Amino acid sequence: MSLLSPAEIQMQLAVLPGWTVFDGRLERQFVFHDFVAAIDFVNRLVEPAERAGHHPDLRISYNKVTVTLTTHDLGGLTAKDFALAKVIAGFKLPG
């Protein structure tokens, strides 16, 4: 696994609405109607993260969950980060 180039990162971002790259990490904030819905979302992240062997950094603030992805051992973004982001992007979220 190798780090993605800036051009590869931009191509991947083009198919992930709502996700941004900030300080070399892939990030998106999700907003829910309450804390319970936010925690339910976090719990849904467990299985795909475990299956991928790739775990996001999570920040929870009441009804907001910020998901941050990076490949820590390589110090940047790889295909693993975008693959997990695509799984998360496919979740049906409460309206």
Side-chain angles (χ1 to χ4, degrees), residues 10-11 51 67:
Q10 290 306 311
M11 284 179 15
R51 189 172 44 244
V67 177

Side-chain angles (χ1 to χ4, degrees), residues 9-72:
I9 290 169
Q10 290 306 311
M11 284 179 15
Q12 293 288 337
L13 278 175
V15 297
L16 282 170
W19 291 84
T20 60
V21 173
F22 177 74
D23 202 20
R25 296 181 300 257
L26 185 59
E27 188 170 279
R28 181 172 174 191
Q29 184 179 81
F30 296 85
V31 180
F32 301 93
H33 64 278
D34 62 16
F35 179 74
V36 172
I39 296 303
D40 180 54
F41 171 75
V42 169
N43 287 332
R44 291 174 58 202
L45 296 175
V46 173
E47 185 180 330
E50 281 293 304
R51 189 172 44 244
H54 193 56
H55 304 96
D57 292 322
L58 303 169
R59 189 171 55 244
I60 304 166
S61 179
Y62 182 62
N63 69 329
K64 297 177 186 80
V65 177
T66 303
V67 177
T68 304
L69 295 163
T70 187
T71 303
H72 295 285

